[in-house]
Amino acid sequence: MSDGPKERDATEDGDSGDRPALADQRDVESVYQPAEDSDLLARTARERVAAGDRVLDVGTGSGYVAAVLAEAGADAVGVDVSPLACRQAADIGVPVVRGDLVSPFRDEVFDLVAFNPPYLPTPPEQEWDDWMEHALSGGEDGRRLVDPFLDTVGRVLAPGGEALVLVSSLTDPEAVREYASERNLVSERLSAEKHPYEELVVLRFAAE
């Protein structure tokens, strides 16, 4: 696997309130903990939410992104297929639903949907059948969950709503955008950060 943010520790300057610092959340190996990718998505999304916006954090993991957006005044909820992640997010006060991607939610309900998917390209012979692997592995092309998310996210977006997805250069962001375009989603790059082994990119998607 890559030596990228999905596996590296990270710290964040300027944490406030009761939200745990990034470094303080890195000790629970069964749930993906915040790193550079989580931080980039959270900062980018926070700039785009207003008080009272209805926000969904897909694959919430520790609940970090949802907690950041709740601090900004959003009505944020998390969803994760892992019961361990749901428990940890709930422990920091994030309302959370156990479920697959956006399937548990009604149509046209969210102003913003954020998703930091598993994106590390992983050959089948290197897969491990556990919750942490599920949080890290993006399958052979890194898009194991990115494509299904783009297939379905439009249903839950309110009119004028948008989805923000964190992808890596390892995942081929332009291929992701092309796939979305075929599903009548327009896209743009909102932010990016270069790291030693990859570039992290936040893509915005909205209905045409």
Side-chain angles (χ1 to χ4, degrees):
M1 282 190 185
S2 163
D3 209 15
K6 285 290 185 190
E7 297 182 304
R8 290 199 304 271
D9 287 351
T11 58
E12 179 185 53
D13 294 328
D15 274 343
S16 61
D18 295 328
R19 174 165 50 87
L22 289 174
D24 295 337
Q25 298 190 53
R26 295 292 294 179
D27 59 351
V28 183
E29 295 184 358
S30 57
V31 177
Y32 182 67
Q33 301 300 303
E36 293 95 329
D37 48 6
S38 314
D39 186 46
L40 178 61
L41 178 60
R43 285 187 283 111
T44 303
R46 183 168 185 162
E47 293 175 355
R48 303 185 68 84
V49 299
D53 280 356
R54 295 163 297 176
V55 171
L56 174 64
D57 178 23
V58 175
T60 194
S62 68
Y64 176 76
V65 173
V68 170
L69 300 182
E71 283 183 357
D75 182 8
V77 61
V79 61
D80 204 294
V81 71
S82 166
L84 304 177
C86 291
R87 187 176 306 125
Q88 188 172 144
D91 285 346
I92 66 167
V94 172
V96 63
V97 174
R98 186 181 179 194
D100 186 22
L101 300 175
V102 300
S103 60
F105 302 100
R106 293 184 291 109
D107 294 358
E108 299 186 352
V109 68
F110 293 109
D111 300 299
L112 184 143
V113 177
F115 188 26
N116 180 13
Y119 57 71
L120 297 178
T122 309
E125 64 272 16
Q126 294 183 18
E127 295 278 3
W128 292 72
D129 187 17
D130 60 25
W131 286 120
M132 181 54 77
E133 181 70 15
H134 189 79
L136 295 174
S137 171
E140 291 191 81
D141 62 2
R143 290 164 49 185
R144 176 178 63 86
L145 292 181
V146 174
D147 290 353
F149 173 81
L150 294 173
D151 289 338
T152 56
V153 68
R155 178 183 65 80
V156 300
L157 291 178
E162 61 187 11
L164 305 188
V165 182
L166 187 292
V167 295
S168 163
S169 53
L170 303 173
T171 315
D172 192 351
E174 292 309 308
V176 173
R177 295 181 68 183
E178 182 177 351
Y179 186 91
S181 178
E182 294 169 355
R183 282 139 189 84
N184 300 315
L185 295 171
V186 296
S187 64
E188 63 177 314
R189 288 169 57 113
L190 289 182
S191 58
E193 286 183 352
K194 290 188 176 181
H195 294 275
Y197 299 95
E198 64 187 329
E199 182 181 37
L200 300 176
V201 180
V202 176
L203 298 176
R204 173 187 180 271
F205 300 96
E208 289 185 348

